[in-house]
Amino acid sequence: EILDEISLMQQNVKTENSLINKLQTGFGISCGEVMEGNMGSSFKQDYTIIGDPVNVAARLEAYTRKINRAIAFSDDVKEILKNSWDCTSHGKIELKGKQHPVEVFSLNIPL
């Protein structure tokens, strides 16, 4: 599991810079329709994914540090999860680019 590997890496990080004492990561998950493919001009093209769910996921990833959880996901994702998953609601938050607050959930896995 990727979270187990990250935990192992955190334990092994050693640095002389006291400001960088821990490797951290978080995952933001959202769902919905996106556009994917090679985009750009004839001079430069990149394969990418764009759309509102991508933006929401990026903002949720940043939010993982505020809630000290490895994974944060939107209420849309919570609706499709099985009830047996151990989830916590963190309430509704305002996300940049969204007209209405989004309820944020996490699995009970600390950073």
Side-chain angles (χ1 to χ4, degrees):
E1 175 175 304
I2 193 167
L3 295 175
D4 291 335
E5 290 295 321
I6 291 169
S7 178
L8 182 61
M9 290 170 61
Q10 288 173 334
Q11 295 170 16
N12 293 325
V13 169
K14 293 182 180 166
T15 180
E16 295 176 12
N17 184 344
S18 63
L19 296 175
I20 305 172
N21 60 4
K22 187 175 179 183
L23 175 65
Q24 293 183 336
T25 190
F27 298 91
I29 305 171
S30 184
C31 64
E33 291 188 30
V34 297
M35 290 179 52
E36 59 93 17
N38 290 315
M39 297 182 194
S41 68
S42 60
F43 297 107
K44 181 179 180 192
Q45 287 198 354
D46 287 318
Y47 182 82
T48 192
I49 300 172
I50 60 173
D52 188 54
V54 177
N55 298 334
V56 170
R59 287 168 177 77
L60 291 174
E61 180 276 325
Y63 198 68
T64 60
R65 290 179 279 290
K66 290 183 180 179
I67 61 175
N68 196 33
R69 293 285 182 242
I71 299 171
F73 49 91
S74 64
D75 46 0
D76 293 340
V77 174
K78 170 70 168 108
E79 287 181 28
I80 61 176
L81 290 177
K82 295 180 179 177
N83 289 335
S84 62
W85 288 47
D86 187 18
C87 299
T88 298
S89 172
H90 298 276
K92 292 186 176 189
I93 63 167
E94 299 282 337
L95 295 178
K96 182 179 174 182
K98 297 296 286 181
Q99 290 182 344
H100 304 287
V102 173
E103 187 168 7
V104 178
F105 292 88
S106 69
L107 296 177
N108 291 320
I109 302 170
L111 281 174

